[in-house]
Protein backbone atom coordinates (compact mmCIF):
# COMPACT_ATOMS: atom_id res chain seq x y z
CA UNK A 1 0.00 0.00 0.00
CA UNK A 2 1.30 3.43 -0.88
CA UNK A 3 1.78 5.69 2.12
CA UNK A 4 1.68 9.48 2.14
CA UNK A 5 4.26 11.71 3.73
CA UNK A 6 1.60 12.95 6.12
CA UNK A 7 1.04 9.42 7.45
CA UNK A 8 4.75 9.00 8.20
CA UNK A 9 4.93 12.38 9.90
CA UNK A 10 1.80 11.73 11.96
CA UNK A 11 3.42 8.53 13.18
CA UNK A 12 6.49 10.49 14.30
CA UNK A 13 4.30 12.79 16.41
CA UNK A 14 3.52 9.92 18.81
CA UNK A 15 6.64 8.39 20.34
CA UNK A 16 5.00 5.08 21.24
CA UNK A 17 2.91 4.84 18.08
CA UNK A 18 -0.34 4.72 20.05
CA UNK A 19 -1.73 7.88 18.42
CA UNK A 20 -1.61 9.73 21.71
CA UNK A 21 0.38 12.89 22.19
CA UNK A 22 2.11 15.01 24.82
CA UNK A 23 3.18 18.31 23.28
CA UNK A 24 5.02 21.12 25.06
CA UNK A 25 4.28 24.52 23.48
CA UNK A 26 7.19 26.94 23.82
CA UNK A 27 5.82 29.67 21.56
CA UNK A 28 5.07 31.93 24.55
CA UNK A 29 8.20 33.99 23.90
CA UNK A 30 6.39 35.81 21.07
CA UNK A 31 3.12 36.35 22.91
CA UNK A 32 4.43 37.10 26.39
CA UNK A 33 8.21 37.26 26.60
CA UNK A 34 11.14 34.92 27.34
CA UNK A 35 10.27 31.39 28.39
CA UNK A 36 13.70 30.92 29.99
CA UNK A 37 16.95 32.90 29.98
CA UNK A 38 18.79 32.29 26.72
CA UNK A 39 21.58 30.36 28.42
CA UNK A 40 19.06 27.83 29.79
CA UNK A 41 17.21 27.15 26.53
CA UNK A 42 19.17 24.05 25.48
CA UNK A 43 18.95 22.62 29.00
CA UNK A 44 15.18 23.04 28.97
CA UNK A 45 14.89 21.23 25.64
CA UNK A 46 17.08 18.39 26.90
CA UNK A 47 14.88 18.10 30.00
CA UNK A 48 11.73 17.85 27.88
CA UNK A 49 13.28 15.19 25.65
CA UNK A 50 14.60 13.25 28.64
CA UNK A 51 11.14 13.28 30.19
CA UNK A 52 9.57 11.80 27.07
CA UNK A 53 7.71 14.67 25.41
CA UNK A 54 6.28 13.60 22.06
CA UNK A 55 6.88 17.02 20.55
CA UNK A 56 7.73 20.65 21.18
CA UNK A 57 6.05 23.62 19.51
CA UNK A 58 8.20 26.64 18.64
CA UNK A 59 8.32 29.52 16.19
CA UNK A 60 10.52 29.36 13.09
CA UNK A 61 13.38 31.48 14.40
CA UNK A 62 13.67 29.39 17.53
CA UNK A 63 13.60 26.21 15.44
CA UNK A 64 16.70 27.42 13.60
CA UNK A 65 18.62 27.58 16.88
CA UNK A 66 18.01 23.96 17.90
CA UNK A 67 20.99 21.67 17.45
CA UNK A 68 19.87 18.49 15.63
CA UNK A 69 21.21 16.19 18.35
CA UNK A 70 19.09 17.80 21.10
CA UNK A 71 15.63 16.68 20.02
CA UNK A 72 16.42 13.01 19.44
CA UNK A 73 13.06 11.27 18.92
CA UNK A 74 11.07 14.34 20.00
CA UNK A 75 9.04 15.82 17.14
CA UNK A 76 9.41 19.41 16.00
CA UNK A 77 6.23 21.42 15.40
CA UNK A 78 6.64 24.91 13.93
CA UNK A 79 3.95 27.39 14.94
CA UNK A 80 2.83 29.70 12.14
CA UNK A 81 0.63 32.19 14.06
CA UNK A 82 1.58 35.13 16.24
CA UNK A 83 0.37 38.05 18.32
CA UNK A 84 1.69 39.80 21.42
CA UNK A 85 0.26 40.86 24.75
CA UNK A 86 1.01 44.46 23.72
CA UNK A 87 -1.40 44.45 20.76
CA UNK A 88 -4.57 46.54 20.60
CA UNK A 89 -6.40 43.24 20.07
CA UNK A 90 -4.62 40.34 21.76
CA UNK A 91 -7.03 37.86 20.14
CA UNK A 92 -6.00 38.85 16.59
CA UNK A 93 -3.60 36.21 15.22
CA UNK A 94 -1.62 36.64 12.00
CA UNK A 95 0.42 34.22 9.93
CA UNK A 96 4.18 34.74 10.27
CA UNK A 97 5.41 31.65 8.43
CA UNK A 98 4.39 29.02 5.92
CA UNK A 99 4.53 25.27 5.44
CA UNK A 100 7.43 25.29 2.97
CA UNK A 101 9.55 27.29 5.39
CA UNK A 102 8.71 24.89 8.22
CA UNK A 103 9.72 21.92 6.08
CA UNK A 104 13.07 23.52 5.31
CA UNK A 105 13.61 23.76 9.06
CA UNK A 106 12.93 20.04 9.50
CA UNK A 107 9.44 20.31 10.98
CA UNK A 108 7.34 17.17 11.49
CA UNK A 109 4.15 19.26 11.67
CA UNK A 110 2.87 22.84 11.80
CA UNK A 111 0.30 24.56 13.97
CA UNK A 112 -2.07 27.49 13.45
CA UNK A 113 -3.94 29.46 16.11
CA UNK A 114 -7.57 30.58 15.61
CA UNK A 115 -9.69 32.51 18.10
CA UNK A 116 -13.38 31.95 17.41
CA UNK A 117 -15.47 34.89 18.58
CA UNK A 118 -12.70 37.43 18.03
CA UNK A 119 -13.06 40.52 15.85
CA UNK A 120 -10.69 39.00 13.28
CA UNK A 121 -12.20 35.51 13.25
CA UNK A 122 -12.84 35.62 9.51
CA UNK A 123 -9.22 36.26 8.56
CA UNK A 124 -7.98 33.64 11.01
CA UNK A 125 -10.31 31.04 9.48
CA UNK A 126 -9.08 31.98 6.02
CA UNK A 127 -5.49 31.58 7.20
CA UNK A 128 -6.27 28.13 8.61
CA UNK A 129 -7.74 27.09 5.27
CA UNK A 130 -4.73 28.39 3.37
CA UNK A 131 -2.29 26.51 5.58
CA UNK A 132 -4.41 23.34 5.38
CA UNK A 133 -4.17 23.46 1.58
CA UNK A 134 -0.37 23.73 1.75
CA UNK A 135 -0.22 20.92 4.31
CA UNK A 136 -2.12 18.61 1.98
CA UNK A 137 0.16 19.58 -0.89
CA UNK A 138 3.33 18.83 1.07
CA UNK A 139 2.07 15.97 3.25
CA UNK A 140 2.49 17.83 6.53
CA UNK A 141 0.23 17.29 9.59
CA UNK A 142 -1.67 20.37 10.75
CA UNK A 143 -2.50 21.07 14.38
CA UNK A 144 -5.28 23.65 14.82
CA UNK A 145 -5.10 25.52 18.12
CA UNK A 146 -8.67 26.77 18.20
CA UNK A 147 -10.17 28.59 21.17
CA UNK A 148 -13.35 30.46 22.11
CA UNK A 149 -11.90 33.91 22.82
CA UNK A 150 -13.22 37.36 22.17
CA UNK A 151 -16.09 39.74 22.89
CA UNK A 152 -18.74 37.32 21.58
CA UNK A 153 -17.87 34.48 23.95
CA UNK A 154 -19.89 34.18 27.15
CA UNK A 155 -18.64 30.83 28.43
CA UNK A 156 -15.33 29.57 26.99
CA UNK A 157 -15.83 26.18 28.67
CA UNK A 158 -19.27 25.46 27.21
CA UNK A 159 -19.21 21.86 25.84
CA UNK A 160 -21.55 22.67 22.94
CA UNK A 161 -19.39 25.61 21.90
CA UNK A 162 -16.20 23.54 22.11
CA UNK A 163 -17.83 20.75 20.08
CA UNK A 164 -18.55 23.37 17.42
CA UNK A 165 -14.94 24.59 17.47
CA UNK A 166 -13.35 21.16 17.03
CA UNK A 167 -15.61 20.57 14.04
CA UNK A 168 -14.52 23.88 12.53
CA UNK A 169 -10.92 22.69 12.83
CA UNK A 170 -11.71 19.35 11.23
CA UNK A 171 -13.82 20.80 8.43
CA UNK A 172 -11.11 23.28 7.46
CA UNK A 173 -8.46 20.59 7.19
CA UNK A 174 -6.73 20.09 10.55
CA UNK A 175 -5.41 16.65 11.49
CA UNK A 176 -5.31 17.31 15.24
CA UNK A 177 -7.11 19.95 17.28
CA UNK A 178 -5.96 21.58 20.50
CA UNK A 179 -8.62 23.43 22.47
CA UNK A 180 -9.82 24.47 25.91
CA UNK A 181 -11.43 21.98 28.26
CA UNK A 182 -15.13 21.83 29.02
CA UNK A 183 -16.33 22.47 32.54
CA UNK A 184 -17.27 20.49 34.43
CA UNK A 185 -14.41 18.40 33.14
CA UNK A 186 -16.54 15.27 32.77
CA UNK A 187 -18.38 17.00 29.92
CA UNK A 188 -15.21 17.00 27.85
CA UNK A 189 -16.38 13.56 26.72
CA UNK A 190 -19.16 15.30 24.77
CA UNK A 191 -16.62 17.41 22.91
CA UNK A 192 -14.54 14.35 22.03
CA UNK A 193 -17.59 12.35 20.94
CA UNK A 194 -18.47 15.09 18.45
CA UNK A 195 -14.98 15.48 16.98
CA UNK A 196 -13.94 13.63 13.81
CA UNK A 197 -10.24 14.25 14.60
CA UNK A 198 -8.13 13.68 17.75
CA UNK A 199 -8.66 16.28 20.49
CA UNK A 200 -5.78 17.56 22.64
CA UNK A 201 -6.55 19.43 25.86
CA UNK A 202 -4.76 22.76 26.08
CA UNK A 203 -2.88 23.82 29.18
CA UNK A 204 -3.44 22.74 32.74
CA UNK A 205 -6.49 22.83 34.99
CA UNK A 206 -8.16 26.26 34.89
CA UNK A 207 -8.22 26.42 38.70
CA UNK A 208 -4.50 25.69 39.03
CA UNK A 209 -5.05 22.33 40.76
CA UNK A 210 -2.99 19.15 40.43
CA UNK A 211 -1.80 18.69 36.87
CA UNK A 212 -1.40 14.91 37.00
CA UNK A 213 -4.95 14.30 38.22
CA UNK A 214 -6.18 16.75 35.62
CA UNK A 215 -4.31 14.81 32.95
CA UNK A 216 -5.89 11.56 34.05
CA UNK A 217 -9.36 13.09 33.92
CA UNK A 218 -8.77 14.57 30.48
CA UNK A 219 -7.50 11.30 29.06
CA UNK A 220 -10.39 9.41 30.66
CA UNK A 221 -12.77 11.71 28.79
CA UNK A 222 -11.42 10.37 25.50
CA UNK A 223 -8.92 13.09 24.61
CA UNK A 224 -5.90 11.77 22.74
CA UNK A 225 -3.37 14.02 24.35
CA UNK A 226 -2.26 17.05 26.28
CA UNK A 227 -0.50 20.24 25.21
CA UNK A 228 1.01 21.80 28.32
CA UNK A 229 3.54 24.60 28.24
CA UNK A 230 3.72 27.03 31.15
CA UNK A 231 3.01 24.48 33.89
CA UNK A 232 5.88 22.34 32.57
CA UNK A 233 8.59 24.89 31.89
CA UNK A 234 7.94 26.66 35.21
CA UNK A 235 8.10 23.42 37.21
CA UNK A 236 10.92 22.61 39.62
CA UNK A 237 11.91 19.67 37.43
CA UNK A 238 10.48 19.80 33.90
CA UNK A 239 11.89 16.36 33.08
CA UNK A 240 10.16 14.78 36.06
CA UNK A 241 6.83 16.39 35.30
CA UNK A 242 6.99 15.49 31.61
CA UNK A 243 7.81 11.89 32.55
CA UNK A 244 4.73 11.64 34.77
CA UNK A 245 2.48 13.31 32.20
CA UNK A 246 3.82 11.03 29.49
CA UNK A 247 2.88 8.03 31.61
CA UNK A 248 -0.63 9.43 31.95
CA UNK A 249 -1.00 10.12 28.24
CA UNK A 250 0.47 6.84 27.05
CA UNK A 251 -1.31 4.63 29.52
CA UNK A 252 0.96 3.72 32.42
CA UNK A 253 -0.76 6.07 34.82
CA UNK A 254 2.01 8.38 36.01
CA UNK A 255 1.96 6.97 39.56
CA UNK A 256 5.70 6.58 39.94
CA UNK A 257 8.00 9.04 41.63
CA UNK A 258 8.69 10.67 38.27
CA UNK A 259 12.34 11.36 39.11
CA UNK A 260 11.27 13.76 41.80
CA UNK A 261 7.51 13.52 42.00
CA UNK A 262 6.70 17.01 40.75
CA UNK A 263 2.92 17.33 40.83
CA UNK A 264 2.83 20.33 38.54
CA UNK A 265 2.05 22.79 41.32
CA UNK A 266 3.88 26.08 41.43
CA UNK A 267 7.53 25.94 42.57
CA UNK A 268 8.73 27.44 45.83
CA UNK A 269 10.55 30.71 45.27
CA UNK A 270 12.78 32.00 48.04
CA UNK A 271 13.74 35.61 48.85
CA UNK A 272 15.99 37.02 46.19
CA UNK A 273 14.38 34.98 43.43
CA UNK A 274 16.22 31.68 43.99
CA UNK A 275 14.40 28.37 43.95
CA UNK A 276 14.79 24.98 45.56
CA UNK A 277 15.88 23.36 42.29
CA UNK A 278 18.46 24.54 39.77
CA UNK A 279 16.22 23.17 37.02
CA UNK A 280 13.58 25.78 37.83
CA UNK A 281 12.63 28.21 35.09
CA UNK A 282 10.82 31.52 35.72
CA UNK A 283 7.06 31.63 35.24
CA UNK A 284 5.99 34.19 32.64
CA UNK A 285 2.92 36.33 32.85
CA UNK A 286 -0.21 34.62 31.56
CA UNK A 287 -1.04 36.17 28.25
CA UNK A 288 -2.49 35.38 24.86
CA UNK A 289 -0.87 32.04 23.94
Amino acid sequence: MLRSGKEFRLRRLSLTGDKKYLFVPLDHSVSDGPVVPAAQWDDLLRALVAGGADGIIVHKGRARSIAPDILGNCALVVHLSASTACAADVNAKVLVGDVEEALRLGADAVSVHVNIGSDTEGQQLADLGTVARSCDMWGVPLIAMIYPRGPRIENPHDPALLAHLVNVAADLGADLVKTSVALPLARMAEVVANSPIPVLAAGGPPDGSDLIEYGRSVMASGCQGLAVGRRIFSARSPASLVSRLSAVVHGSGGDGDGNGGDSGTEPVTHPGGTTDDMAQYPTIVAGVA
Side-chain angles (χ1 to χ4, degrees), residues 1-238:
M1 180 184 297
L2 293 175
R3 300 287 184 184
S4 70
K6 182 176 284 193
E7 289 180 272
F8 284 113
R9 293 184 178 98
L10 279 169
R11 171 60 182 83
R12 291 201 293 267
L13 294 180
S14 177
L15 280 178
T16 66
D18 60 0
K19 297 183 180 180
K20 295 182 180 179
Y21 314 88
L22 174 60
F23 293 142
V24 183
L26 299 171
D27 55 299
H28 305 69
S29 49
V30 169
S31 57
D32 298 305
V35 169
V36 294
Q40 295 177 5
W41 174 253
D42 285 355
D43 289 339
L44 173 60
L45 294 185
R46 290 189 177 95
L48 301 179
V49 173
D54 292 279
I56 61 164
I57 302 173
V58 296
H59 282 282
K60 59 184 180 182
R62 197 71 63 165
R64 293 192 185 102
S65 72
I66 300 174
D69 63 295
I70 290 181
L71 288 187
N73 292 326
C74 182
L76 173 64
V77 181
V78 173
H79 194 44
L80 304 183
S81 304
S83 69
T84 77
C86 302
D89 180 1
V90 297
N91 294 313
K93 296 289 181 177
V94 298
L95 288 182
V96 292
D98 58 40
V99 174
E100 294 87 345
E101 190 173 24
L103 280 174
R104 288 195 296 272
L105 293 168
D108 297 292
V110 299
S111 58
V112 172
H113 187 137
V114 176
N115 287 323
I116 297 296
S118 68
D119 288 337
T120 60
E121 174 190 301
Q123 184 58 55
Q124 293 177 54
L125 289 174
D127 290 342
L128 178 61
T130 297
V131 172
R133 183 168 60 251
S134 292
C135 283
D136 283 343
M137 179 184 302
W138 292 102
V140 177
L142 171 58
I143 303 168
M145 302 182 181
I146 189 164
Y147 305 101
R149 294 179 181 171
R152 295 157 190 83
I153 301 301
E154 295 182 4
N155 177 11
H157 300 288
D158 175 27
L161 176 59
L162 292 170
H164 180 187
L165 266 60
V166 296
N167 276 270
V168 170
D171 289 342
L172 294 187
D175 300 289
L176 305 172
V177 57
K178 171 191 171 196
T179 194
S180 306
V181 293
L183 293 179
L185 198 54
R187 297 196 65 187
M188 194 64 187
E190 300 171 31
V191 179
V192 173
N194 282 288
S195 179
I197 59 176
V199 177
L200 312 180
D207 61 359
S209 57
D210 184 80
L211 183 57
I212 302 301
E213 288 303 319
Y214 165 82
R216 291 192 184 107
S217 297
V218 165
M219 296 305 293
S221 75
C223 286
Q224 285 183 243
L226 299 170
V228 183
R230 190 175 290 109
R231 289 286 294 268
I232 287 177
F233 61 69
S234 65
R236 286 189 297 270
S237 173

Side-chain angles (χ1 to χ4, degrees), residues 22 24 36 40 43-53 211-212 228-246 256-269 275-283:
L22 174 60
V24 183
V36 294
Q40 295 177 5
D43 289 339
L44 173 60
L45 294 185
R46 290 189 177 95
L48 301 179
V49 173
L211 183 57
I212 302 301
V228 183
R230 190 175 290 109
R231 289 286 294 268
I232 287 177
F233 61 69
S234 65
R236 286 189 297 270
S237 173
S240 169
L241 184 52
V242 168
S243 178
R244 297 190 69 201
L245 285 172
S246 178
D257 63 13
N259 298 319
D262 197 322
S263 67
T265 54
E266 289 301 315
V268 177
T269 302
T275 67
D276 55 3
D277 192 314
M278 289 301 290
Q280 163 63 26
Y281 301 100
T283 304

